[in-house]
Amino acid sequence: MKIVQGGPEHVDVAALIWAHAVSARDGYDVPALEEARPGVEQALRNEPSFLLIADDGGEATGFLAGGPKETDAGTAFVNYVGVHPAAWGTGVGEALLRALPEALAERGFGKAELMVFVDNVRGVRLYERLGWIKLGAPAPHPRHGRVEQRYGFSLA
């Protein structure tokens, strides 16, 4: 597996990975591409944005996407870390997160933040193992109330 820089041609691939991942994680039908695509496009809207793709023999198995945090241009906000359910437990998420510091540095970011649902045990465990630190207290998501935690990571 290798991590490659994604481009506009990878947006649909990333959106489909996300659709399958959240369907498996949350137990509902796989959203259509038309429903999943706008979120990924939104994450890449502001420059400098980043889209990393986990490529396993020519097949995309995961992705990571984000851009500048709206309130702090020196901080990146990671909107998505998605791994196709067929690749869960194979190290794809870890490989993407280990490639992130280089992508952040190339774009002038000194730190990053992300949000994760507190009941996403696999994700929480991974972030904490890789040095992500809890920022503040968990809070309900504004749209649906599911509790999420902000995490931060510093390149320093």
Side-chain angles (χ1 to χ4, degrees):
M1 173 186 38
K2 62 183 176 181
I3 305 301
V4 299
Q5 178 62 48
E9 70 277 14
H10 295 102
V11 168
D12 284 357
V13 169
L16 287 173
I17 289 170
W18 186 251
H20 284 276
V22 297
S23 173
R25 181 191 71 197
D26 299 336
Y28 55 80
D29 292 339
V30 176
L33 176 60
E34 293 74 27
E35 295 175 78
R37 183 188 301 122
V40 176
E41 290 173 332
Q42 177 75 16
L44 302 172
R45 176 188 65 184
N46 296 322
E47 291 300 329
S49 64
F50 47 90
L51 175 59
L52 302 179
I53 303 291
D55 182 305
D56 189 7
E59 182 179 346
T61 56
F63 78 104
L64 184 151
K69 185 178 173 184
E70 290 184 16
T71 58
D72 178 2
T75 299
F77 190 79
V78 179
N79 298 73
Y80 291 95
V81 178
V83 176
H84 193 283
W88 284 358
T90 64
V92 173
E94 181 171 344
L96 287 162
L97 288 164
R98 289 194 183 279
L100 179 61
E102 182 179 340
L104 295 174
E106 288 173 354
R107 290 159 180 79
F109 295 115
K111 53 189 173 177
E113 293 182 9
L114 57 76
M115 301 293 285
V116 61
F117 294 121
V118 297
D119 62 359
N120 180 354
V121 176
R122 183 176 22 260
V124 168
R125 216 176 316 156
L126 176 62
Y127 300 131
E128 291 180 354
R129 186 167 50 81
L130 295 180
W132 290 74
I133 306 295
K134 287 181 184 179
L135 302 174
H141 188 281
R143 274 185 301 159
H144 47 65
R146 192 167 168 196
V147 178
E148 56 187 356
Q149 174 69 54
R150 181 176 299 273
Y151 278 83
F153 180 85
S154 178
L155 294 181

